[in-house]
Amino acid sequence: MNDTSDRPRTRWGVLTQPDFRLLWTGETVSGLGNSITVVALPLIAVEVLDASSTAVGLLAAAVWLPWLLVGLPVGAWVDRMHKRPLMIACDLAAVAALGSIPLAAWLDALTFQHLVVVALLCGTAAVCFNTAYHSYIRIVLDGRDLLEGNAKLQGSEAATQVAGPGVAGLLAQAFGAVTALVADAVTFLVSAACLKRISVVEPDRALDEERVPLRRQISEGLRFVGRDRYLRPMVTWGAVINMALMGYQAVQVVFLVRTVGLNPAMVGLLLTSGSTGGIVGALVAARVSRRFGTARGLLLLQAATAPFALLLPMTTAGPGLLLFAMGAFLVGIGISVANIVVGSFRQTYCPPHMLGRVVATAMMINHSTIPLGSLLGGMLGDALGYRPAMWITTGVVAPSWLILATSPMRRERDLPQTQEPEQTPAKS
């Protein structure tokens, strides 16, 4: 871990640290590439292969499926090995997978099955990369910089979510959707090059840990999260909020087009409100945590922003569009701050030898509700109508902060930096 205790603070903060700057640059560029992929893959399926909407939905689900299939064993595996070589390998695997699509298209051999396989490969690489990445931040930054570092990374992620779809659209319009995917592959090469230049040395793993059976390590990670009085409500809240968010996001485009009567350009503009809120949340996360404390600030901000999700189903044409923009913006702020605070808390709170498993367990549970939420939102929209579906799903978002209020954070100003010694499991 880098020693930054004597480093003077500047207005650039952790970006003055070369290793973190390389990590941040690589992640920002690859984040832009991921946003391009989200648009480019469905465009290729529709424009090149004339795929149906059901097929496009299957393609989207293939990206998330690896979290359910390999999320838990990857967490235990990451705890056994060095993080940076694994992350570089994941970047290069994504380059090879994405690069195969333009090659197959130019050879007139591209099939929908090929796209699904690439989505599964990229999703699996993302599971391995993200699990290692959340553990690696703790190696690059010391404890006092984690909150600021996560805020910088969350802010750039939100910014790429705003810019990525627009860049993908422009590239697809100018050069075709297949060529746009080449730009995506290049971003992963940049990420790998940045990671390669990071100089921080990772600690070696204990040999006795490597001999522990994988199944036993997975069980330890599940028990650690399930028994902890802070992590358990956080993971529960994450699963519920993801299901509800994906529920209304599954029908919001159809709701805005068919119920409100908007054109695609206006729909795209409104949908950027949430990502813009994510950028603002990243900018204010550290300030809110200093002013109110990490526990109290997280809880207060969720209670203040989540109920504004109920503005979304109230949207009407004309001035009523401001309701959607304001609701999405404020919910985006709350989710962004929560991601930063909870992520930083896990990195300092969990024992280093357990961090990969804890991250993988939490993310597996949180991601498992994403396809369920999408399916539920679509079914509600078909059965009851788009506005009622929006009311039901946002009605789950609004009181979701009460799950966090059941945890000890309701009585504390700050989340603990380390777990209480009597609760920390012994190393296997």
Side-chain angles (χ1 to χ4, degrees), residues 17-178:
Q17 302 180 33
D19 285 337
F20 178 79
R21 191 164 61 244
L22 287 168
L23 181 65
W24 177 80
T25 301
E27 287 318 290
T28 301
V29 174
S30 64
L32 179 63
N34 284 328
S35 296
I36 293 173
T37 303
V38 170
V39 177
L41 275 183
L43 280 176
I44 292 172
V46 172
E47 293 185 354
V48 179
L49 301 177
D50 195 26
S52 66
S53 58
T54 301
V56 173
L58 176 63
L59 192 61
V63 176
W64 297 105
L65 186 60
W67 281 105
L68 303 180
L69 299 179
V70 299
L72 292 178
V74 163
W77 186 41
V78 165
D79 280 336
R80 297 181 175 201
M81 63 187 306
H82 288 162
K83 316 299 184 287
R84 189 175 63 139
L86 174 61
M87 294 161 66
I88 293 173
C90 289
D91 277 336
L92 296 179
V95 171
L98 293 170
S100 71
I101 293 178
L103 180 61
W106 294 332
L107 295 174
D108 198 24
L110 184 62
T111 64
F112 180 76
Q113 290 79 6
H114 187 160
L115 293 184
V116 172
V117 170
V118 169
L120 287 169
L121 289 174
C122 289
T124 303
V127 172
C128 298
F129 187 98
N130 289 336
T131 303
Y133 163 72
H134 280 85
S135 299
Y136 192 62
I137 298 172
R138 183 171 174 170
I139 297 172
V140 174
L141 295 176
D142 69 3
R144 72 167 189 154
D145 288 331
L146 279 174
L147 186 65
E148 182 190 348
N150 281 310
K152 290 283 194 300
L153 292 163
Q154 181 72 25
S156 64
E157 178 182 342
T160 58
Q161 289 174 354
V162 174
V167 172
L170 291 174
L171 289 173
Q173 182 70 29
F175 306 106
V178 171

Side-chain angles (χ1 to χ4, degrees), residues 262-408:
L262 302 183
N263 59 47
M266 184 57 68
V267 170
L269 182 61
L270 281 179
L271 294 185
T272 63
S273 302
S275 297
T276 304
I279 297 174
V280 174
L283 294 175
V284 304
R287 191 173 305 172
V288 169
S289 297
R290 287 193 300 267
R291 174 67 177 84
F292 299 103
T294 51
R296 191 177 302 161
L298 172 61
L299 194 54
L300 287 175
L301 200 59
Q302 289 306 304
T305 59
F308 282 95
L310 295 174
L311 293 179
L312 301 179
M314 299 181 187
T315 303
T316 58
L321 297 179
L322 292 176
L323 295 173
F324 191 99
M326 182 180 297
F329 177 75
L330 291 173
V331 171
I333 291 176
I335 296 300
S336 177
V337 172
N339 286 339
I340 293 165
V341 173
V342 172
S344 301
F345 166 69
R346 279 199 305 253
Q347 290 158 4
T348 58
Y349 180 73
C350 300
H353 71 283
M354 291 286 296
L355 186 54
R357 281 166 282 175
V358 170
V359 169
T361 299
M363 297 185 76
M364 188 277 294
I365 295 172
N366 290 345
H367 285 78
S368 68
T369 59
I370 289 177
L372 176 62
S374 298
L375 179 62
L376 180 62
M379 292 174 62
L380 288 172
D382 289 336
L384 304 176
Y386 304 121
R387 195 182 296 272
M390 293 287 290
W391 275 114
I392 293 171
T393 51
T394 56
V396 177
V397 174
S400 61
W401 62 274
L402 293 172
I403 298 174
L404 295 175
T406 64
S407 73

